[in-house]
Amino acid sequence: MTIRESLTRLITLGCITALLALPQVQAHAQDKISAAEARAIAKEAYIYGYPMVDGYRIQYGYFVDKTDPEYKGQWNEIHNIPRVYTPEDKAVQTPNSDTPYSFIGADLRAEPLVLTVPEIPEGRYYSIQFIDAYTFNFAYAGSRTTGNEAGSIMLAGPNWKGEKPQGIKKVIQSETEINVLIYRTQLFDPSDIDNVKKIQAGYKVEPLSSFLGTAEPTPAPDIDYIKPISQEEQKSSLEVFNILNFILQFSPTVPSEKELMERFAKIGIGAGKTFDPKNLSPEMKKAFEEGIVDAWNEFADGAKLLAEGKITAGDVFGTRASMKNNYFYRWLATIGIWGNSKQEAMYPIYFTDASGQKLNGANRYTLHFPKGKLPPAHAFWSLTMYQLPESLLVDNPIDRYLINSPMLPDMKMDADGGLTLYIQHESPGKDMESNWLPAPKGPFSSYLRIYWPKPDALTGKWNPPPVKQVP
């Protein structure tokens, strides 16, 4: 019998006492299943929900909390960042520093949004990445997908129905009402920043009614945003489940997740539900906590496979369909949350050297690309340095956080026409500083980014060379 049917029967019978007791019955619904089953479901729900909770943490700082140093501005407005990321930017792990960003926090509850872009000069890469509340990359616009010509695209929520309006090039529909859009505009070199600012100034977002010149619909009710918890707290706090419930109310259940949500409901997880650990018995509380530990043990195994290249960045970012609802891979993606799908950008990651040893700034390394074997990109490639475990950019005396293909004219090529990069903490010497990627003193990783990869990169015909330790 459903809760609605139960309420109807109680009211009909006049069982006021039983009705008043109903919240306690709901609060202890978890006690109707065994601790072992609760532990298993908690593990599954944590793996499913962690990326959503982590994404919400960032969105809250960007679009809700005006006191947050990372605050960008209001929802449904475009916020341009006319600079590249530096070590001072700490909200997002593994940020890229090749393409100044623009952000939109999209609330689609009242009506769709229309995104208008200016003509982008030929040869300059740009993209718009559409990320839903699940953290799936559900669509793209930009150089690769829609071209560099000017035009308007409409983004609609899950409940929108209608025909493509006149003047709209493409309609994109999200499965969730709350989304984040990330614009990336290529910067060729520091002197190019004014050109990027001009392009960013031409990006426009407006409600569909404004675009069409029609009456505005009834505004959506204000959202009482739940306060997120820190990344560190997310690792063990049962509050993760309560925040997940909050996010799910803006994420209508898709058919492929109907059974999953029915299973989660057994432990009090679902759209709009309140999950309060204080209502759990000691046995059930322990079961939930053990479920989280189980999840992190599995994560450690997955992270190892990622470091070994047995799982690639291309596996963990994408659409729901391309990832086949692989929630574990979606969780692994939080190592570099909101990364691109492989068709837009590939991310070969260096965690170890050629001998399998973890990278550390106490050592010196080289990365050699043979002649004609540079990363195959339609747009450009870059190699970025991140200190571990934070996965943030590295402060260094020459303020260089990456080496990329636009820098090639200033780099020194090998006698045979190849390219050797020097990856180390200390300078390799003034004569080779053009090829130097500064490393921290301790553990680090390096991400090779290939924007708009060519088929050889996508098919595996081209593979990234290993990082080799210098004796």
Side-chain angles (χ1 to χ4, degrees):
M1 183 180 294
T2 65
I3 291 176
R4 183 184 297 274
E5 291 169 337
S6 299
L7 285 169
T8 302
R9 184 178 180 189
L10 289 168
I11 293 170
T12 302
L13 296 175
C15 300
I16 302 301
T17 302
L19 182 60
L20 292 173
L22 188 58
Q24 292 186 1
V25 173
Q26 288 177 284
H28 296 286
Q30 296 94 339
D31 295 335
K32 295 180 181 178
I33 63 174
S34 69
E37 185 179 5
R39 177 175 177 173
I41 298 175
K43 174 190 173 183
E44 187 178 14
Y46 186 85
I47 291 172
Y48 172 91
Y50 184 98
M52 302 172 69
V53 172
D54 199 41
Y56 173 74
R57 173 187 62 81
I58 302 170
Q59 289 183 46
Y60 185 90
Y62 278 10
F63 310 119
V64 179
D65 184 3
K66 295 180 180 180
T67 67
D68 193 298
E70 300 287 347
Y71 180 72
K72 310 300 181 200
Q74 299 292 319
W75 293 93
N76 294 349
E77 296 176 359
I78 191 159
H79 307 290
N80 298 312
I81 313 299
R83 61 175 180 82
V84 291
Y85 273 42
T86 73
E88 298 302 311
D89 298 286
K90 302 181 186 301
V92 177
Q93 306 92 289
T94 62
N96 100 58
S97 202
D98 295 290
T99 57
Y101 286 104
S102 303
F103 295 93
I104 298 175
D107 180 350
L108 306 174
R109 292 174 301 145
E111 61 175 318
L113 294 177
V114 175
L115 318 173
T116 300
V117 299
E119 182 176 355
I120 308 296
E122 185 179 352
R124 187 184 298 272
Y125 168 86
Y126 91 103
S127 68
I128 308 174
Q129 177 186 4
F130 296 76
I131 309 165
D132 61 24
Y134 298 112
T135 70
F136 287 123
N137 296 333
F138 65 93
Y140 276 92
S143 300
R144 178 181 67 88
T145 52
T146 54
N148 278 24
E149 64 270 18
S152 297
I153 293 167
M154 190 180 91
L155 172 62
N159 299 317
W160 180 82
K161 294 179 177 61
E163 299 296 323
K164 182 175 74 170
Q166 188 173 358
I168 297 293
K169 180 192 294 187
K170 181 179 181 181
V171 173
I172 295 172
Q173 191 157 15
S174 173
E175 292 180 344
T176 62
E177 296 173 328
I178 301 296
N179 303 265
V180 63
L181 279 59
I182 302 179
Y183 292 58
R184 294 174 174 88
T185 309
Q186 184 180 3
L187 176 74
F188 295 127
D189 57 57
S191 66
D192 183 45
I193 191 65
D194 286 341
N195 294 320
V196 170
K197 289 179 181 178
K198 183 178 178 181
I199 292 170
Q200 288 181 326
Y203 294 144
K204 182 180 179 182
V205 59
E206 61 188 318
L208 178 61
S209 58
S210 172
F211 179 81
L212 296 176
T214 57
E216 295 181 12
T218 303
D222 290 340
I223 297 174
D224 184 12
Y225 293 98
I226 191 169
K227 188 174 181 179
I229 55 179
S230 70
Q231 270 186 299
E232 189 60 33
E233 290 172 312
Q234 286 173 183
K235 292 179 180 178
S236 58
S237 174
L238 297 187
E239 179 64 13
V240 163
F241 298 118
N242 194 38
I243 297 172
L244 174 59
N245 285 353
F246 170 83
I247 300 166
L248 286 172
Q249 68 184 309
F250 306 109
S251 313
T253 300
V254 298
S256 64
E257 291 187 350
K258 187 173 182 295
E259 291 183 7
L260 186 74
M261 289 302 150
E262 288 173 352
R263 189 156 63 253
F264 288 175
K266 293 181 179 181
I267 60 170
I269 293 174
K273 295 180 183 292
T274 299
F275 183 92
D276 189 347
K278 293 194 295 292
N279 290 331
L280 296 173
S281 67
E283 181 187 26
M284 294 301 287
K285 183 173 182 291
K286 184 182 179 203
F288 276 79
E289 291 169 344
E290 288 173 339
I292 292 177
V293 172
D294 294 341
W296 278 109
N297 288 336
E298 189 169 327
F299 184 92
D301 293 338
K304 183 180 178 184
L305 294 175
L306 196 62
E308 294 170 350
K310 294 175 181 176
I311 298 174
T312 69
D315 297 324
V316 300
F317 297 110
T319 63
R320 178 187 293 280
S322 69
M323 292 184 65
K324 300 183 171 81
N325 279 3
N326 190 322
Y327 307 119
F328 181 67
Y329 278 10
R330 190 174 74 184
W331 183 24
L332 283 178
T334 59
I335 293 174
I337 194 167
W338 294 351
N340 276 304
S341 303
K342 64 183 178 182
Q343 293 81 4
E344 196 68 38
M346 293 183 66
Y347 303 93
I349 306 172
Y350 292 103
F351 288 109
T352 60
D353 63 20
S355 65
Q357 299 299 307
K358 292 182 178 179
L359 299 175
N360 194 296
N363 305 314
R364 294 179 298 141
Y365 305 92
T366 59
L367 179 62
H368 174 70
F369 295 100
K371 183 180 179 180
K373 296 292 185 180
L374 289 173
H378 285 292
F380 67 98
W381 60 264
S382 70
L383 181 70
T384 308
M385 173 65 63
Y386 300 104
Q387 61 185 355
L388 295 176
E390 300 88 353
S391 291
L392 297 176
L393 297 171
V394 177
D395 210 355
N396 63 83
I398 60 172
D399 295 329
R400 181 182 294 163
Y401 316 121
L402 57 85
I403 283 180
N404 62 22
S405 52
M407 297 166 63
L408 282 171
D410 297 321
M411 286 192 267
K412 293 188 176 181
M413 306 303 288
D414 301 333
D416 64 358
L419 175 69
T420 299
L421 304 181
Y422 298 90
I423 304 170
Q424 55 193 64
H425 181 63
E426 301 292 341
S427 169
K430 283 290 181 182
D431 59 330
M432 295 310 300
E433 276 194 358
S434 62
N435 296 34
W436 177 36
L437 180 59
K441 289 183 178 180
F444 69 86
S445 64
S446 287
Y447 281 50
L448 181 61
R449 290 179 166 88
I450 306 173
Y451 286 88
W452 190 356
K454 291 182 177 179
D456 281 1
L458 289 168
T459 61
K461 186 175 180 180
W462 177 90
N463 287 298
V467 166
K468 295 183 178 180
Q469 184 176 337
V470 178

